[in-house]
Amino acid sequence: MRILILTGAGISAESGIATFRGADGLWEGHRPEDVATPQAFARDPALVQRFYNERRRKLQSPEIQPNAAHRSLAEFEAKHYAESRNDEFLLVTQNIDDLHQRAGSQNVLPMHGELLKIQCELCKEVIEWTNDLDPYQTHDSTSKDEDCPGRLRPNVVWFGEMPIGLSRIDRAARQADVFLTIGTSGLVYPAAGIVQSTPPNCQRVEINLDDTPVSMEFGEVIRGKASEEVPRFLRSLA
Ligand code: OAD
């Protein structure tokens, strides 16, 4: 059985990480175009870096831990897909937190990048990074052996930029026997359109607190908290 999973901010909400939309969401306090576009970074790098510095710090605070939904996905993969290859099990996440990886998931594709990594704008090198980043910090400041003068940016995909791994995701979708989406609003493309690439006989399941604009694409809709419904659904599959 080939299984493709897509997660969004809702899976990390019960771990204490704010979602984007809705009351208290990140986009309530900030306009995406002010902090999550290449134009915003060119115009006001201090504001953009502050936004990601705060989120990077919060992600590393001790109270932020994977929840039962993250853990059950990692356990399911370890139990049934430990030796598997060719994306027989693929966990695509729109989240830039590292909670799937911390829970022990192996085959994770963070399609919107990773908060605990940064990228050099010039040479494109990706570097693991846990500290704050200064607005004009350059690659050559990171080590005495480094001479690239490029500016460093968060390794996240901004609006207007190409998400990571799209052809790999499309290949996995076209072959999926099960497509499970968890805690995503179905508003942001191309992630919201992945379901349309799955074959007609694919079992499509949406776990979310509420209906979404793409709910009608799913044969099974499960309404409830990810921490409860994901372990329950995975038990039913096994
Ligand atoms: P959103 O904040 O748009 O949506 C979160 C979804 O999770 C909503 O549909 C909620 O109903 C649901 N939800 C919240 N808590 C839940 C829980 N405990 N259990 C189950 N579901 C829950 O977040 P995303 O859909 O992930 O992109 O947002 C997609 C993209 O938009 C993000 O990756 C980000 C953002 O702009 C970029 O920054 C490029």
Side-chain angles (χ1 to χ4, degrees), residues 140-205:
D140 53 14
S141 74
T142 58
S143 121
K144 61 177 173 19
D145 302 324
E146 182 55 65
D147 57 7
C148 176
R151 187 166 60 153
L152 297 168
R153 57 166 279 180
N155 185 43
V156 299
V157 175
W158 284 326
F159 288 100
E161 295 182 324
M162 189 66 91
I164 296 159
L166 289 183
S167 55
R168 186 173 160 203
I169 295 169
D170 189 58
R171 202 175 320 121
R174 289 185 188 289
Q175 299 178 341
D177 299 305
V178 177
F179 176 60
L180 170 63
T181 177
I182 306 163
T184 177
S185 56
L187 287 166
V188 176
Y189 284 78
I194 294 172
V195 62
Q196 280 150 9
S197 299
T198 59
N201 59 347
C202 177
Q203 180 185 359
R204 300 186 197 89
V205 184

Side-chain angles (χ1 to χ4, degrees), residues 80 89 99 111 118 150 159 177 188 204-205 212:
H80 302 287
F89 174 101
L99 296 184
M111 67 180 293
I118 57 172
F159 288 100
D177 299 305
V188 176
R204 300 186 197 89
V205 184
T212 74

Side-chain angles (χ1 to χ4, degrees), residues 37-52:
T37 61
Q39 292 80 4
F41 190 50
R43 196 170 53 236
D44 192 346
L47 176 69
V48 173
Q49 295 289 19
R50 192 160 64 241
F51 178 73
Y52 288 98

Side-chain angles (χ1 to χ4, degrees), residues 7-15 17-22 25-27 32 36 51-52 55 67 69 93-96 111-113 156-161 163 182-189 191 206-213 222-230:
T7 65
I11 197 167
S12 295
E14 293 167 74
S15 293
I17 297 180
T19 60
F20 292 94
R21 296 169 181 84
L26 277 173
W27 295 156
F51 178 73
Y52 288 98
R55 295 178 66 195
N67 65 53
T93 186
Q94 297 166 87
N95 300 342
I96 60 174
M111 67 180 293
H112 290 165
V156 299
V157 175
W158 284 326
F159 288 100
E161 295 182 324
I182 306 163
T184 177
S185 56
L187 287 166
V188 176
Y189 284 78
E206 179 187 64
I207 298 179
N208 198 302
L209 289 178
D210 299 312
D211 285 343
T212 74
I222 299 173
R223 295 287 160 257
K225 289 181 181 173
S227 65
E228 293 166 8
E229 300 304 334
V230 175

Side-chain angles (χ1 to χ4, degrees), residues 13-85:
E14 293 167 74
S15 293
I17 297 180
T19 60
F20 292 94
R21 296 169 181 84
D24 296 331
L26 277 173
W27 295 156
E28 287 288 291
H30 299 87
R31 294 189 319 155
E33 54 272 35
D34 289 340
V35 291
T37 61
Q39 292 80 4
F41 190 50
R43 196 170 53 236
D44 192 346
L47 176 69
V48 173
Q49 295 289 19
R50 192 160 64 241
F51 178 73
Y52 288 98
N53 285 344
E54 280 168 15
R55 295 178 66 195
R56 196 180 296 109
R57 261 183 255 143
K58 169 103 199 233
L59 178 58
Q60 296 175 89
S61 61
E63 72 270 17
I64 304 288
Q65 297 294 338
N67 65 53
H70 300 102
R71 288 196 304 270
S72 64
L73 286 167
E75 283 158 17
F76 183 83
E77 181 186 10
K79 191 163 173 201
H80 302 287
Y81 293 90
E83 303 297 323
S84 77
R85 274 182 260 146

